[in-house]
Amino acid sequence: MLTNIAQAQTTVKGMETVGVKIGDTQAEMELALKNEGYYFWRKSAFKAEAGLPERIATAHYKKDGRNLEPDFLMVAFSPVTSKVVALSRSERYNVEVLVPDLVKNMSAKYGTPAAVRGTTEASWVEKRAGKDATPLTQCEAAAGLQINYAATIDNYANCKRAVRLAMSPGSKPQIVWRMTLNLVDFETMYDETMQLKNALKDKVDIKH
């Protein structure tokens, strides 16, 4: 149930979690994750094309030890400059964390949520300037462990950046068992995807 929604344009204050910032290079991201105890799991790469070499596309990390289940962190990189553009982090709590406290802490970090849905979700949304007609819901970050927006990138042409917090309830009311946090820079992701598409199109046109 939607319990609160801000109708006006909002601004996302920050785009960082566990030391990783949207806009980081691969080296900066890896240093931050090493300091937080995450270890490398797997990665994927963009193929060499349009004058660009093969380069990192996604990277997945885990952190074990203190939980019965591992914590996960997934990162997506922009297709041209190879900067962090999307991040999804899932953490299981081994202490009692209250929903209101977690939302309050996240609001201090990211700003006023554009929407709070019941006791399970909060969403921060920032659209591109002058795109007030675009629904806030269209510019929300995906829910769950999700960093791949490429298939639907055209839907985010008017979006700037977003944060989404999803909370899995525990055995007691208002207690968070696991949280998933998604951060995404739609602006850079869209602009670089279009830049790459245009470069590939120009290359095809030249050949013909």
Side-chain angles (χ1 to χ4, degrees):
M1 178 180 178
L2 190 65
T3 56
N4 174 61
I5 186 163
Q7 299 293 337
Q9 166 73 297
T10 59
T11 299
V12 182
K13 284 173 55 177
M15 294 293 282
E16 175 274 334
T17 187
V18 292
V20 179
K21 298 185 293 294
I22 294 296
D24 274 354
T25 63
Q26 182 182 353
E28 291 168 336
M29 175 212 68
E30 289 177 343
L31 179 59
L33 292 183
K34 182 179 179 181
N35 291 337
E36 290 292 332
Y38 284 88
Y39 63 90
F40 174 77
W41 181 23
R42 64 188 184 191
K43 66 179 179 179
S44 66
F46 291 112
K47 65 180 181 180
E49 57 186 355
L52 294 169
E54 184 176 278
R55 60 224 180 272
I56 190 165
T58 66
H60 298 191
Y61 293 80
K62 291 182 180 181
K63 182 165 73 170
D64 292 332
R66 64 185 182 85
N67 294 326
L68 295 176
E69 298 179 16
D71 297 341
F72 296 95
L73 190 138
M74 300 161 54
V75 182
F77 294 85
S78 58
V80 177
T81 61
S82 297
K83 298 292 181 67
V84 174
V85 286
L87 185 154
S88 187
R89 169 189 165 211
S90 183
E91 179 178 341
R92 178 178 174 178
Y93 293 108
N94 58 357
V95 296
E96 289 193 351
V97 176
L98 294 172
V99 168
D101 289 344
L102 183 56
V103 173
K104 182 179 179 181
N105 290 341
M106 293 295 183
S107 296
K109 187 168 190 174
Y110 301 118
T112 303
V116 177
R117 297 178 174 90
T119 59
T120 60
E121 193 174 295
S123 185
W124 292 257
V125 177
E126 186 173 354
K127 296 180 290 185
R128 291 195 188 223
K131 303 298 181 181
D132 295 336
T134 302
L136 286 172
T137 52
Q138 185 172 325
C139 292
E140 287 187 300
L145 281 168
Q146 172 62 264
I147 53 173
N148 184 9
Y149 299 86
T152 56
I153 193 64
D154 288 341
N155 294 339
Y156 305 107
N158 296 333
C159 307
K160 187 170 183 179
R161 52 187 186 172
V163 176
R164 190 168 191 158
L165 169 67
M167 296 164 284
S168 300
S171 57
K172 302 176 184 177
Q174 296 285 301
I175 298 294
V176 183
W177 171 72
R178 177 180 285 277
M179 75 92 181
T180 302
L181 184 68
N182 288 355
L183 288 71
V184 55
D185 176 358
F186 286 124
E187 187 172 41
T188 299
M189 185 181 291
Y190 178 84
D191 288 351
E192 290 200 15
T193 299
M194 293 303 106
Q195 181 182 342
L196 184 58
K197 282 185 177 180
N198 290 334
L200 290 170
K201 181 178 180 296
D202 291 343
K203 191 173 182 180
V204 171
D205 290 343
I206 290 171
K207 285 183 178 180
H208 289 81

